[in-house]
Amino acid sequence: MSVREVQAAERISTSAYSSPARSLGDPGITPLSPSHIAAKDSDSGTADEQTFPVVVAIDFGTTSSGYAYSFSKEPECIHIMRRWEGGDPGVSNQKTPTTILLMPDRKFHSFGFAARDFYHDLDPSESKHWLYFEKFKMKLHSSTDLTMETDLIAANGKKVKALEIFAHALQYFKEQALKELSDQAGSEMDNDEVRWVITVPAIWKQPAKQFMRQAAYKAGMVSPENPEQLIIALEPEGASIYCRKLRLHQMIDLSTKAAINGFSPTDPAKDHVRRNRQSRTFLVENVIGELWSELEQGDRYVVVDCGGGTVDLTVHQINLPEGHLKELYKASGGPYGSLGVDYEFEKLLCKIFGDDFVDQFKVKRPAAWVDLMIAFESRKRAAAPDRTNPLNITLPFSFIDYYKKFRGHSVEHALRKSNVDFVKWSSQGMLRMNPDAMNALFKPTVDHIIEHLTNLFQKPEVSGVKFLFLVGGFAESPLLQQAVQQAFGDQCRVIIPHDVGLTILKGAVLFGLDPGVIKVRRSPMTYGVGVLNRYVEGKHPPEKLLLKDGTRWCTDVLDKFILADQSVALGETVKRSYTPAKPSQLMIIINIYSSERDDVNFLTDPGVKKCGTLRLDLTGSEGSPILNRREIQTIMQFGDTEIKVMAVDIATSKSVKVCIDFLN
């Protein structure tokens, strides 16, 4: 951790050892008393007082996205966005693909089905100048050094700033939602009347969560002066909040279900969903659902959110009577979403037709590649454990044609030669996949999810789980459902809500209406500030010794406010008091550090990173006699999905605030 600290007052040239503190020459601070205890205030005054007439939640997914909204005067009605133009054969969609098209001059052209279809219809000579992006959200998860300058690469290989692409997408949703709200309300809806909620995976690191907020600022959704108007919500938390409201006819309990592959065609629940699908309005009852009436104080459950890019696991405990939730174990998971199945399909194509051909084809015929993946998507959704008939995937004509030019022999010849079992060529121009071949494409991803869950279930905090809720778009897969039921059905009840792909969206709306519903979270990181401590022989490492005006200081000390995986209540504050290391200082600089580990003690320990700075001007008190020990109070507020820090000069009541910055 590059925890470099707020220490020494001047550069010391006497020692060859270069401590970050010495070289920076920071005006140092030191704890006011040798051992200061964290004061925990759970004053409810810290909760947001602002109310908004309407809440709009945006589920910005890796593969598909959507929004939903609710008016605060009728919070039991959640409206899912209007039907989108377009759609795919074999895929029923209430969301739209997360795809963006920019014109050759880099101006925004379209989003979703419109972007995909327009791009697809362009002549290949023209399409290579247009910038098409899909599945770009994963870049925020996979970037180890995400900044405001991070680039995304379009289908034609050109680079665009990620922040611009995310802002375009959010601006598009903002405009669509405001238009629909204005039509609903019969009068122009103003952006200031909307509380926005954007969902992100819980396992995202802090920089990625902050990146989404910056993109929302850039999109004009909210302004940095009024950050409370936007809530960054965690996807599995949204799902968890919605699952509390489930009625029995709104879910499938896999333990009692004979037909494991979802629904039998005559299932009355399916008709119920179908009848209501046109209305797009879901009623959420104010009561807690029947399932929850079986839960007792302190019961635990796991939400497994399986999306396109990531799988997120959250463990919650219910606190009655209000039904508030407490997070028992910090969010975990990984990049095990349904995209993994697409990558396996791509690997299969490479095995049959050669990496060199597939790479060339993607670059030279990007629109046809998109077509091929759409065809695969609908077959992927038809995969089921008990399926016996083969799955046919249509190869675009330009694939067959380009392959012949590239290799000098036919696609059929390649298949015969490849020795890939279970994949044959059909004369109608299709790849025929035996069900076992399709199931093999799912296996690595499904195995990852099961392995991760198995490790989670071994943690003491997760013992005695009553329910496992499987949510997110990938949870629709009967192969995944069967694997989860077989692995964990004897330990807990596996529950799948209907319209499982919309669970997070509905929960995010409920969260926006009542952000206080999750009372206790686990801190994902250790946070603290850099200080100077009095040097203690034998306790402090000799290389940290700094002699200053006759005082022996230990530099680079990380004064920890909260540890990784520690429980924090909503709005909980931790206060510490410091004093300038040198009474004559006119400016105080407090550097804030973070680390994913809890056993760090110095700014120089591996993995400690600086994530914020508070600068407090100490002038203005010359008139008064210099206080012998001037008190500077530093306050960190936790429990929200973001962290706020403040420093106050007690003598003058001057204060500065900062939001922790992980991007710069």
Side-chain angles (χ1 to χ4, degrees), residues 307-559:
T310 49
V311 169
D312 250 348
L313 315 175
T314 324
V315 188
H316 277 158
Q317 185 173 44
I318 182 110
N319 287 325
L320 300 172
E322 310 84 2
H324 287 144
L325 304 179
K326 173 180 177 182
E327 188 179 20
L328 288 184
Y329 185 75
K330 68 175 182 210
S332 63
Y336 317 132
S338 58
L339 279 186
V341 185
D342 300 1
Y343 293 140
E344 289 300 316
F345 177 60
E346 197 177 314
K347 271 167 39 189
L348 178 69
L349 292 175
C350 289
K351 198 170 159 188
I352 300 170
F353 303 110
D355 298 358
D356 53 345
F357 167 72
V358 172
D359 290 344
Q360 265 311 91
F361 181 71
K362 282 161 81 171
V363 174
K364 291 279 191 280
R365 300 278 186 277
W369 175 256
V370 170
D371 240 18
L372 176 56
M373 292 315 285
I374 291 167
F376 174 68
E377 181 66 30
S378 86
R379 298 297 74 210
K380 179 169 97 178
R381 288 168 184 254
D386 47 5
R387 190 182 173 103
T388 50
N389 51 334
L391 294 131
N392 293 327
I393 296 160
T394 309
L395 286 179
F397 170 73
S398 71
F399 185 97
I400 299 167
D401 183 51
Y402 193 72
Y403 184 76
K404 196 160 176 57
K405 285 190 186 123
F406 190 89
R407 284 270 188 261
H409 59 241
S410 71
V411 162
E412 196 176 349
H413 176 81
L415 270 162
R416 270 206 310 274
K417 226 181 65 193
S418 70
N419 299 326
V420 171
D421 288 340
F422 307 126
V423 182
K424 299 281 172 274
W425 175 247
S426 99
S427 53
Q428 290 96 35
M430 296 180 184
L431 286 181
R432 282 203 107 123
M433 289 184 79
N434 172 309
D436 292 348
M438 180 60 98
N439 296 1
L441 298 182
F442 277 80
K443 192 172 168 15
T445 306
V446 171
D447 287 352
H448 264 306
I449 295 172
I450 299 299
E451 181 192 356
H452 204 96
L453 270 167
T454 305
N455 294 337
L456 182 72
F457 269 82
Q458 285 162 356
K459 303 268 190 287
E461 300 90 335
V462 186
S463 59
V465 161
K466 249 195 189 175
F467 296 107
L468 185 155
F469 290 100
L470 206 51
V471 303
F474 193 22
E476 290 169 7
S477 160
L479 290 166
L480 178 60
Q481 292 177 11
Q482 185 192 49
V484 172
Q485 174 62 22
Q486 282 176 347
F488 306 105
D490 55 346
Q491 298 176 51
C492 58
R493 281 167 63 190
V494 180
I495 306 282
I496 300 169
H498 288 328
D499 274 333
V500 66
L502 300 175
T503 310
I504 289 148
L505 200 43
K506 297 178 202 168
V509 174
L510 294 171
F511 185 49
L513 292 164
D514 178 17
V517 59
I518 295 188
K519 289 289 184 222
V520 179
R521 285 195 175 81
R522 297 268 166 172
S523 174
M525 315 270 273
T526 294
Y527 292 100
V529 302
V531 300
L532 291 165
N533 271 349
R534 292 294 172 103
Y535 188 81
V536 179
E537 208 66 60
K539 176 185 165 192
H540 292 136
E543 69 273 16
K544 298 286 182 198
L545 172 62
L546 171 69
L547 260 173
K548 188 93 206 87
D549 302 333
T551 306
R552 291 156 64 88
W553 295 105
C554 175
T555 66
D556 299 336
V557 176
L558 178 63
D559 190 11

Side-chain angles (χ1 to χ4, degrees), residues 3 47 75 83 111 191 221 247 260 268 295 359 376 399 406 411 422 451 521 529 533 550 626 631 661:
V3 178
R83 283 292 298 198
F111 185 91
N191 191 45
M221 208 170 236
R247 314 293 291 174
I260 190 90
L295 284 175
D359 290 344
F376 174 68
F399 185 97
F406 190 89
V411 162
F422 307 126
E451 181 192 356
R521 285 195 175 81
V529 302
N533 271 349
I626 293 252
E631 185 181 351
D661 182 4

Side-chain angles (χ1 to χ4, degrees), residues 215-241:
Y217 292 155
K218 192 172 168 67
M221 208 170 236
V222 291
S223 74
E225 291 70 52
N226 190 15
E228 272 71 41
Q229 193 185 351
L230 168 67
I231 297 176
I232 301 289
L234 307 180
E235 287 163 9
E237 285 191 353
S240 179
I241 291 165

Side-chain angles (χ1 to χ4, degrees), residues 574-637:
V574 179
K575 291 182 188 164
R576 299 280 166 90
S577 290
Y578 300 101
T579 193
K582 201 164 137 194
S584 56
Q585 272 170 227
L586 297 179
M587 157 77 80
I588 211 166
I589 295 176
I590 299 173
N591 285 324
I592 303 151
Y593 292 85
S594 67
S595 160
E596 288 180 26
R597 297 177 30 190
D598 56 8
D599 56 353
V600 287
N601 296 306
F602 293 99
L603 307 185
T604 47
D605 290 349
V608 177
K609 291 193 173 66
K610 181 161 150 185
C611 58
T613 302
L614 289 163
R615 287 192 164 72
L616 193 57
D617 178 3
L618 299 183
T619 55
S621 51
E622 288 83 351
S624 54
I626 293 252
L627 298 169
N628 192 18
R629 310 266 290 189
R630 186 157 186 179
E631 185 181 351
I632 308 295
Q633 214 174 52
T634 304
I635 301 149
M636 280 194 200
Q637 185 180 346

